[in-house]
Amino acid sequence: MEDSIFTKIIKGEIPCHRVYDDEKTLAFMTIHPAQPGHVLVIPKKQVQFLWDLPDEDYQAVMATAKKVAQRVREVLRPPYVGEMVVGTDVPHAHVHIIPFESSDQLLKKPDTSIEPDHSALAAMAEKLKF
């Protein structure tokens, strides 16, 4: 399988705004957030669908997603923090962690045609980093 954009991020070939990193997982700011504080959690093993990960890797991704969601809630203090697995945009398993106030915000489709605001993403990553 060809390296996904996420695998290239893991290898350091493409930069990202890291929030959390361990042996099995990586969490970073998505470049087109649905809401400020939108973080992606990925396994370091490239597998297209979350459900196809070996149990140990799946459990690591979900444990990291929980840690990231707790950190988002602690730092940003939104009324809600959502977790979504969609799996259609990048062929590499990933979990979206999204702070929100209403379901419209959680389900908002970001405009991917605009250039990412890397300074805002870097600032948010710095706030959330642990």
Side-chain angles (χ1 to χ4, degrees), residues 31-114:
I31 61 170
H32 295 292
Q35 295 299 316
H38 183 167
V39 178
L40 296 177
V41 177
I42 64 171
K44 289 189 174 173
K45 175 181 287 199
Q46 182 174 319
V47 171
Q48 184 170 359
F49 300 107
L50 189 66
W51 326 121
D52 293 335
L53 283 167
D55 288 347
E56 186 176 318
D57 295 285
Y58 174 83
Q59 290 164 358
V61 168
M62 297 314 285
T64 297
K66 180 178 180 179
K67 290 176 194 174
V68 170
Q70 289 171 329
R71 180 70 178 163
V72 166
R73 184 174 62 185
E74 172 188 312
V75 173
L76 302 180
R77 303 220 177 269
Y80 306 101
V81 178
E83 176 180 275
M84 290 195 312
V85 176
V86 182
T88 58
D89 46 349
V90 176
H92 189 129
H94 56 288
V95 176
H96 296 261
I97 304 297
I98 306 170
F100 68 101
E101 293 181 17
S102 69
S103 57
D104 290 344
Q105 289 179 334
L106 176 65
L107 301 173
K108 178 184 169 194
K109 299 268 190 231
D111 183 354
T112 59
S113 68
I114 59 174

